[in-house]
Amino acid sequence: MKARKFLILVLVMALLGSLVAGCGARSEQEADNSAESTEDNSGDATAKTEPIVVKFSHVVAENTPKGQAAIMFEEKAEEYTDGKVDIQVFPNSQLYNDDDVLAAIQQNSVQMAAPATSKVSKLFPEWTIFDFPFALPSIEKVQQAMESEEIGGKLFNMLKDKQMLGLAMWDNGFKQMTLDDRPLYMPKDFEGKSFRVMSSKVLEAQFDALNANPTPMAFSEVYSALEQGVIDGQENTLSNIYSKKFHEVQEYMTISNHGYIGYAVITNSEFWEGLPSDVREGVEKALDETTQWVRDNGERLNQEALDNIKADNTLTEIHELTPDEKKAWMEATNPVYEQFEEEVGSDLINAIKALR
Ligand code: LMR
């Protein structure tokens, strides 16, 4: 009797053991398969039922022009390709900072990104052209610049040298200044104050020209740097200021529209060329429609952000630059153009100056 019980116990344990081992084997297999489908997205999708994974990395919040555009692009691209692509959007620097994302694109660790043009200047100094103070007076002028061969054409062409392809330009809008303890009316008000800048030499030169101290820093670090007083102020668009709560840790804002932030929507060129043509067409259609949507809605989203900032009532003052003050800011920062003639190229500088 005892021997029979023992035998049954041994059998039950053996059965359980094999079930557990089977489960383990299956989940390892599944993990391998999903890793394969994520890594091997270089092309031949027709042979697979798995969608092609497209990771899209960016740094801003979802309630901004770029955040909204990325979501719209995801929905449209999946629809227009009948689900043959799986666009995975990672906002808020979840995957990469803009400073790392260009390397990630080159290595195809991420397939799409939309860094601010200023940040592309780390690889190509010419891309800093949009950073010149008061270079672009309106969104219409930005579009004119991007559509021209001598600016947009030239900038997009050079990306190919580094395994990248420019697919579109998405607007955010114009930058405003904020500071912790005094209003910014005239150039002298900048003196001695430290301001966060994106990684762009022209932006550093802009603050140098105002006798301030530029501090390059990743976007994801700006809020805590302002909160802890590591920096005194910063420049950004209203939608970025509002969505990252910079207005809660600053006292003064000047509506200056002194510079522009827009994005280069970039992909890895080998990845892009490896896409089946029907998939590429669907993705292109989604991009075109999204680009048009950002053009039509960027300004509205920034205006809404301003209304929200006002409603929050956390700032001591919001000042709008007067024509005389604007003239003084322009005069103070004008030498920056000459300073970069060699590095950026006088052709580009003259072309952007002609739009002023
Ligand atoms: C910034 O770093 O301030 C901006 O580039 C953020 C963004 O992408 O709009």
Side-chain angles (χ1 to χ4, degrees):
M1 202 51 179
K2 263 187 179 170
R4 259 184 71 194
K5 264 192 183 164
F6 179 72
L7 192 64
I8 290 169
L9 192 67
V10 168
L11 280 173
V12 167
M13 282 177 69
L15 194 65
L16 278 174
S18 74
L19 274 175
V20 169
C23 281
R26 192 161 57 241
S27 55
E28 268 167 35
Q29 186 63 45
E30 276 164 5
D32 283 356
N33 286 347
S34 86
E36 259 171 38
S37 74
T38 311
E39 278 162 20
D40 179 16
N41 53 14
S42 58
D44 190 14
T46 44
K48 290 202 176 95
T49 48
E50 289 292 314
I52 300 166
V53 173
V54 180
K55 290 186 189 158
F56 187 133
S57 169
H58 72 81
V59 298
V60 293
E62 290 186 328
N63 56 338
T64 58
K66 180 164 59 179
Q68 295 280 296
I71 295 169
M72 175 178 286
F73 167 66
E74 173 183 353
E75 287 167 1
K76 284 181 182 285
E78 290 177 0
E79 181 191 335
Y80 296 154
T81 59
D82 292 324
K84 287 183 189 156
V85 290
D86 173 13
I87 311 282
Q88 299 179 357
V89 179
F90 297 88
N92 293 311
S93 315
Q94 276 168 16
L95 211 52
Y96 292 101
N97 267 330
D98 274 346
D99 292 338
D100 320 325
V101 83
L102 291 171
I105 285 270
Q106 287 172 281
Q107 289 151 12
N108 200 25
S109 318
V110 63
Q111 288 68 46
M112 286 180 79
T117 52
S118 323
K119 294 172 186 173
V120 184
S121 73
K122 254 187 131 178
L123 290 181
F124 304 97
E126 293 87 343
W127 273 81
T128 201
I129 195 72
F130 298 106
D131 293 333
F132 284 91
F134 298 97
L136 295 155
S138 65
I139 289 291
E140 288 70 33
K141 293 282 182 184
V142 173
Q143 281 155 21
Q144 212 175 308
M146 271 323 289
E147 280 157 17
S148 74
E149 253 328 291
E150 54 198 339
I151 303 179
K154 189 170 184 172
L155 295 178
F156 268 30
N157 245 333
M158 61 183 73
L159 298 176
K160 293 178 192 148
D161 295 344
K162 296 217 190 282
Q163 300 83 48
M164 297 186 294
L165 204 66
L167 298 174
M169 269 288 286
W170 286 353
D171 292 316
N172 183 331
F174 292 96
K175 287 183 286 187
Q176 323 302 345
M177 292 282 187
T178 66
L179 189 61
D180 57 356
D181 65 351
R182 67 182 184 224
L184 292 162
Y185 302 143
M186 292 300 269
K188 67 171 173 38
D189 300 324
F190 285 85
E191 265 174 39
K193 291 288 179 185
S194 60
F195 287 83
R196 176 266 173 170
V197 288
M198 293 184 272
S199 52
S200 150
K201 287 189 186 166
V202 168
L203 295 180
E204 288 187 43
Q206 168 189 269
F207 283 102
D208 284 337
L210 293 162
N211 296 315
N213 304 316
T215 309
M217 188 180 286
F219 185 60
S220 53
E221 290 163 22
V222 179
Y223 178 88
S224 59
L226 289 171
E227 192 185 31
Q228 290 160 20
V230 176
I231 45 171
D232 304 313
Q234 62 85 46
E235 52 166 15
N236 225 309
T237 61
L238 291 159
S239 53
N240 281 348
I241 291 171
Y242 176 68
S243 59
K244 290 295 175 189
K245 304 187 189 320
F246 297 163
H247 64 298
E248 293 182 9
V249 285
Q250 294 276 267
E251 289 297 323
Y252 295 91
M253 178 161 77
T254 297
I255 304 292
S256 50
N257 294 313
H258 62 279
Y260 165 79
I261 292 189
Y263 309 108
V265 184
I266 291 178
T267 187
N268 176 287
S269 41
E270 210 175 306
F271 160 77
W272 186 253
E273 277 145 27
L275 287 175
S277 56
D278 62 325
V279 170
R280 202 166 44 227
E281 272 163 31
V283 174
E284 268 168 353
K285 183 173 173 211
L287 263 177
D288 287 349
E289 289 182 10
T290 307
T291 303
Q292 191 55 49
W293 181 87
V294 201
R295 275 186 189 173
D296 298 341
N297 290 278
E299 236 163 86
R300 174 181 62 77
L301 292 174
N302 279 304
Q303 182 56 46
E304 280 172 17
L306 178 59
D307 295 343
N308 289 331
I309 290 171
K310 284 180 180 166
D312 277 0
N313 210 16
T314 53
L315 288 167
T316 303
E317 186 186 282
I318 302 176
H319 172 69
E320 200 150 331
L321 212 60
T322 67
D324 281 349
E325 288 161 358
K326 181 176 170 184
K327 196 162 164 262
W329 286 36
M330 283 178 89
E331 273 168 19
T333 54
N334 215 25
V336 176
Y337 284 81
E338 219 181 298
Q339 207 177 321
F340 282 87
E341 260 182 12
E342 206 171 307
E343 200 167 330
V344 174
S346 46
D347 287 0
L348 267 177
I349 293 194
N350 289 337
I352 206 92
K353 262 185 173 170
L355 296 170
R356 258 176 133 186

